[in-house]
Amino acid sequence: MVVSGLVWNGTVLDEPLKKLLGGTTAKVMAEHLDLHTAGDLLHHYPRRYAERGELTRLADLPLDEHVTVVAQVAKASMKTFNQGRGMRLEVVVTDGSGSLTLVFFGRGAYAHEKELIPGRRGMFAGKVSLFNRTRQLLHPDYELLDRDSGAGAAEEFAGRLLPLYPACKQVQSWKISKAVDVLLAQFEADGWRGLVDPLPPALREGRGLEELPDALRKVHRPRAKADIQAARDRLKWDEAFVLQVALARRRHADAQLPAVARKPVAGGLLDAFDARLPFTLTDGQRTVSAEIFDDLATEHPMHRLLQGEVGSGKTMVALRAMLGVVDAGGQAAMLAPTEVLAQQHHRSITEMMGDLADGWGLREAQSDKGGGGRREGMLGGSERGTKVVLLTGSMGAAARRQALLDLVTGEAGIVVGTHALIEDKVQFHDLGLVVVDEQHRFGVEQRDALRSKGKQPPHLLVMTATPIPRTVAMTVFGDLETSVLDQLPAGRSPIATHVVPAKDKPHFLTRAWERVREEVEGGHQAYVVCPRIGDEDEKPAKGDGDGDEKRPPLAVLDVAGQLAKGPLAGLRVEVLHGRMQPEAKDEVMRRFAAGAVDVLVATTVIEVGVNVPNSTAMVIMDADRFGVSQLHQLRGRVGRGSAPGLCLLVTEAGEASPARARLGAVAATLDGFELSRIDLEQRREGDVLGQAQSGARSSLRMLAVIDDEEVIAAAREEATAVVLADPELEHLPALRTALDALLDAEREQFLEKG
């Protein structure tokens, strides 16, 4: 069973909610909150805790979101409309800092009027909307907190911390709270019999952590704020430690696997390539390359993450590693997520290698004495060259047959491709290194299928163009060694970024198109990025808080036509998007790279890997529809040459909106690591082990990887020591049980395959 949180098969927490709460309640919780077992519910932690008199800032409630507030009725009035035929109850509630209007229509309003009298206090839940500049909840659900008028009830409420749970329209916070009460009562009565504690006693006691039953009780029913903190401290450790044990076991298992050591040879392809470089490698590139070559020289497979700033030269480092492996008699494969990116990588690699990529390849030849094989250059190009082939799903039959033949015979030392590389018919002569670009876009099975094509497990280099905070790298990529490139190569130009508020100041948008024209007239080129293509049906988006429905996102096909006839008339404007035929996409990119296109209107297919140094300007339409890291990636396509770059973020978001704040953050810094922290803080990390890696449900409920660096680092240290002493966890059966449940079939597969 796939379950969230630390729910352990065969224990009390694995009891189905249907058995504990009844079929009706269990069905609603399963359908709307994805809660199925006792463990699911007990690990559905309160979002926050309300105190009597707490200021919840009603005036700052987010529009168009479902909220639960604690407030007191200030006044209530029944009003008529439609010439007296309709009735409307308006109730104003306040928390001392702001007010909110509750609105009820119809005959049922009279029943609410009798309950919602001034002075009554309650929890109110609904979707926040705006009417006549006033925030309101329409037909909210509510639960009065002082229904019992006795003094005892009032005193109990006055001294209580009220848990507010992540909820929805169908299941309000107080209904979740009552269900938790039922579970806690049952488990308390049974003495929590059968509960498995994943933390070894020595670890828990040594770090002064709560016992698990106490932590669960305190997180749901705290008597004081200290209870909440103690519970959180303990439950964060559960999540961090079990996850880090899983990753530590993976690292330990990898260290036991055999691999062919790939040591570069003096005077080989790598040396020839380095000698022809027209620039000097940065200190960072040299350091990271040394780390990679040290790993490649060992008889265990390298598992390394290469991350770095946009434009820091990751492809150069990866290419040098591939050339070193070719020198050592192996082949290297680079896996890219899209055909556009695969074609771009193939083009840039062959351009960087020059005539070293013109050789017919490297063929194994036996010496006259019948000794060990040696490699020698074949016809055409450098005598030390190797063939660099491209393999994608859209290739013609003849080209595909030739590429497959080059791989199986060893003629091709390097192959760049998409998922087409993974197909069964693709066979290698001796695969020594797999480079996975933008690894988060590939599933477990895809990566595993490519790695399985080596005679022994090949070395693995994972690249990501999105800078990752250290905490995330330790958690998401904890089974990989990490190399960081944080230094830009010489010659990279600064990029100026500005927000263009098209709705508030339309003349700013007019000026943006003038700037694009100026860049083109100066001999440069520009990108215009749109969120969608324009040949699909698009429903209006939900409201933006101004009382109107958002229009559909701007589309490439529409915007390109408008620009070509309007502000950019006379310029050579072309489009690029994911639904074009591969040959057409490649042709457009070739023409753009050659300077035959002035302005390329595209979707995010240009997000990574595209390198046209002459492009100096980018206009991102509806920039608020993109994530922070995505905007940073897109921006990295300009300023790649000697001329400074310009990135304009066009938005209709209001000045005080979170979207504008997000765009302001992107405009304020070029530091991708800082932006990745901002992005993560806004999005939250979702499922670090699952969503980010295998698509499974969330496993982290309490741990926030962006904030809990200290816990994660300590858990990693403890987990490494535990696994080193007892790799199979034979002496820690409770931890093994917890691990088995965390690693359901899908995640176990992920960790085994990498």
Side-chain angles (χ1 to χ4, degrees):
M1 185 192 318
V2 181
V3 289
S4 63
L6 301 175
V7 182
W8 307 312
N9 292 339
T11 76
V12 293
L13 295 187
D14 203 37
E15 289 287 338
L17 289 178
K18 183 177 180 180
K19 179 179 176 182
L20 299 167
L21 301 176
T24 303
T25 301
K27 183 179 180 183
V28 175
M29 288 195 166
E31 289 180 356
H32 298 288
L33 294 175
D34 208 12
L35 304 177
H36 304 272
T37 67
D40 287 346
L41 182 53
L42 287 184
H43 292 293
H44 187 75
Y45 303 124
R47 179 170 45 86
R48 64 185 182 89
Y49 302 84
E51 297 178 80
R52 188 168 190 180
E54 180 186 19
L55 303 184
T56 54
R57 301 297 308 172
L58 291 181
D60 297 334
L61 288 175
L63 291 167
D64 206 34
E65 288 189 19
H66 195 279
V67 300
T68 301
V69 299
V70 178
Q72 189 171 42
V73 177
K75 62 181 179 179
S77 57
M78 190 71 75
K79 299 182 179 181
T80 62
F81 62 94
N82 197 13
Q83 297 180 339
R85 291 193 295 273
M87 303 297 295
R88 178 176 79 247
L89 175 64
E90 292 186 2
V91 180
V92 178
V93 298
T94 180
D95 63 357
S97 69
S99 61
L100 180 69
T101 301
L102 317 178
V103 181
F104 301 89
F105 290 99
R107 294 187 179 277
Y110 287 107
H112 299 307
E113 184 184 28
K114 291 178 181 178
E115 288 194 321
L116 299 174
I117 57 177
R120 301 297 293 271
R121 188 176 180 83
M123 288 187 287
F124 305 93
K127 183 177 282 189
V128 183
S129 59
L130 202 65
F131 182 74
N132 285 342
R133 300 186 177 276
T134 300
R135 280 173 167 76
Q136 66 175 24
L137 300 182
L138 188 61
H139 285 285
D141 291 299
Y142 60 89
E143 176 86 349
L144 294 177
L145 297 171
D146 51 359
R147 287 186 186 276
D148 299 326
S149 57
E155 288 174 10
E156 180 187 351
F157 171 68
R160 192 165 46 139
L161 286 163
L162 196 66
L164 296 178
Y165 291 88
C168 62
K169 181 179 180 181
Q170 294 81 5
V171 191
Q172 295 83 12
S173 175
W174 54 87
K175 290 183 180 177
I176 298 170
S177 186
K178 289 177 180 177
V180 170
D181 282 339
V182 172
L183 263 60
L184 289 175
Q186 290 190 44
F187 291 149
E188 292 283 0
D190 203 32
W192 294 87
R193 188 158 42 90
L195 181 67
V196 174
D197 189 333
L199 294 190
L203 188 159
R204 179 176 54 76
E205 293 164 9
R207 294 191 174 269
L209 299 170
E210 295 273 345
E211 293 194 15
L212 187 53
D214 292 336
L216 291 171
R217 188 186 307 111
K218 287 179 177 180
V219 78
H220 290 288
R221 299 296 173 261
R223 295 185 177 277
K225 288 185 177 179
D227 285 352
I228 300 170
Q229 190 58 51
R232 286 181 178 276
D233 289 346
R234 161 62 209 244
L235 295 169
K236 284 181 179 182
W237 257 94
D238 281 11
E239 293 178 358
F241 181 67
V242 176
L243 178 54
Q244 291 297 337
V245 167
L247 295 168
R249 293 186 76 220
R250 168 60 202 262
R251 290 194 302 274
H252 184 270
D254 284 342
Q256 314 308 310
L257 291 174
V260 177
R262 308 285 182 177
K263 300 177 182 178
V265 296
L269 192 55
L270 177 60
D271 284 351
F273 175 76
D274 285 347
R276 301 178 188 203
L277 285 178
F279 53 82
T280 304
L281 295 175
T282 66
D283 291 342
Q285 286 174 322
R286 282 196 292 270
T287 299
V288 168
S289 289
E291 293 170 350
I292 291 171
F293 284 124
D294 284 347
D295 284 355
L296 290 173
T298 66
E299 295 182 348
H300 300 290
M302 171 177 74
H303 291 88
R304 185 167 288 276
L305 169 69
L306 173 58
Q307 64 156 320
E309 195 49 88
V310 174
S312 57
K314 293 179 293 295
T315 303
M316 170 63 70
V317 170
L319 175 56
R320 295 186 73 249
M322 291 193 287
L323 294 175
V325 168
V326 172
D327 275 343
Q331 293 168 291
M334 176 179 276
L335 186 61
T338 66
E339 291 209 356
V340 168
L341 189 52
Q343 290 161 348
Q344 179 69 31
H345 276 316
H346 180 258
R347 190 179 304 121
S348 62
I349 285 172
T350 53
E351 286 172 357
M352 282 192 283
M353 289 178 64
D355 64 354
L356 295 175
D358 291 338
W360 280 100
L362 299 175
R363 179 175 293 160
E364 205 160 9
Q366 297 294 324
S367 69
D368 292 338
K369 297 180 180 179
R374 65 185 178 89
R375 299 268 184 179
E376 57 185 22
M378 301 306 292
L379 299 175
S382 167
E383 63 178 13
R384 286 176 295 189
T386 188
K387 198 167 187 179
V388 181
V389 301
L390 176 69
L391 188 63
T392 65
S394 66
M395 290 174 66
R400 183 177 178 78
R401 274 195 304 272
Q402 185 61 53
L404 293 174
L405 183 64
D406 290 339
L407 290 178
V408 75
T409 61
E411 292 287 315
I414 295 174
V415 58
V416 182
T418 58
H419 59 276
L421 282 175
I422 296 165
E423 296 173 6
D424 290 342
K425 62 182 69 174
V426 179
Q427 299 297 326
F428 290 83
H429 179 70
D430 184 10
L431 181 60
L433 171 65
V434 173
V435 178
V436 180
D437 191 21
E438 289 302 289
Q439 76 86 36
H440 62 276
R441 301 194 189 186
F442 290 98
V444 175
E445 294 78 11
Q446 292 171 310
R447 296 195 296 274
D448 176 61
L450 184 55
R451 288 180 61 197
S452 68
K453 293 181 181 293
K455 295 175 182 176
Q456 290 199 55
H459 299 280
L460 176 67
L461 181 64
V462 168
M463 296 199 302
T464 176
T466 303
I468 303 168
R470 176 174 175 265
T471 48
V472 183
M474 275 195 300
T475 310
V476 179
F477 302 102
D479 57 327
L480 301 173
E481 299 298 326
T482 302
S483 294
V484 177
L485 277 173
D486 54 8
Q487 182 182 7
L488 295 183
R492 283 301 300 261
S493 301
I495 305 171
T497 307
H498 303 284
V499 178
V500 179
K503 193 172 184 179
D504 302 341
K505 300 176 180 177
H507 60 286
F508 276 32
L509 182 58
T510 302
R511 176 60 185 144
W513 300 128
E514 290 173 356
R515 285 291 291 112
V516 170
R517 186 176 282 278
E518 288 166 8
E519 291 295 314
V520 173
E521 289 171 352
H524 299 296
Q525 295 160 275
Y527 300 99
V528 176
V529 181
C530 301
R532 68 185 182 101
I533 298 171
D535 57 358
E536 65 281 269
D537 292 329
E538 182 75 25
K539 295 178 181 177
K542 62 183 184 178
D544 61 2
D546 295 328
D548 300 320
E549 276 193 325
K550 264 190 175 179
R551 56 162 173 73
L554 292 172
V556 166
L557 299 179
D558 299 334
V559 170
Q562 292 163 9
L563 292 177
K565 294 175 184 175
L568 301 185
L571 301 187
R572 297 169 295 178
V573 178
E574 294 198 20
V575 302
L576 180 70
H577 58 76
R579 280 206 281 273
M580 293 169 61
Q581 289 297 315
E583 299 85 1
K585 284 189 285 190
D586 196 38
E587 176 59 23
V588 169
M589 277 310 305
R590 285 183 184 279
R591 284 165 43 74
F592 188 66
V597 176
D598 296 323
V599 179
L600 187 62
V601 184
T603 58
T604 55
V605 293
I606 63 159
E607 181 182 349
V608 290
V610 173
N611 182 30
V612 181
N614 193 47
S615 300
T616 55
M618 174 176 286
V619 180
I620 304 178
M621 307 303 292
D622 283 341
D624 50 286
R625 311 260 185 162
F626 299 95
V628 169
S629 294
Q630 196 171 32
L631 291 171
H632 185 55
Q633 286 304 320
L634 288 166
R635 171 172 60 184
R637 300 311 103 205
V638 298
R640 302 179 79 86
S642 57
L646 173 67
C647 181
L648 302 176
L649 308 175
V650 180
T651 179
E652 292 187 357
E655 188 171 359
S657 67
R660 278 286 285 278
R662 193 167 67 244
L663 297 180
V666 175
T669 180
L670 291 172
D671 185 339
F673 287 92
E674 175 59 26
L675 287 173
S676 70
R677 289 188 68 91
I678 294 170
D679 194 20
L680 200 61
E681 285 166 357
Q682 292 178 342
R683 289 186 300 108
R684 304 313 301 170
E685 52 272 5
D687 178 16
V688 169
L689 179 60
Q691 235 170 15
Q693 294 278 18
S694 68
R697 286 194 55 231
S698 179
S699 63
L700 300 187
R701 295 301 176 92
M702 186 64 75
L703 192 73
V705 298
I706 201 69
D707 300 323
D708 295 321
E709 179 169 0
E710 193 173 315
V711 174
I712 292 167
R716 180 183 171 96
E717 189 177 313
E718 293 274 12
T720 301
V722 163
V723 171
L724 195 62
D726 184 5
E728 298 303 316
L729 308 180
E730 293 176 358
H731 303 293
L732 296 167
L735 176 57
R736 176 74 245 190
T737 301
L739 200 61
D740 287 343
L742 176 70
L743 304 180
D744 54 57
E746 183 176 13
R747 295 179 187 179
E748 184 74 64
Q749 192 177 54
F750 152 66
L751 285 172
E752 284 178 357
K753 296 177 178 179

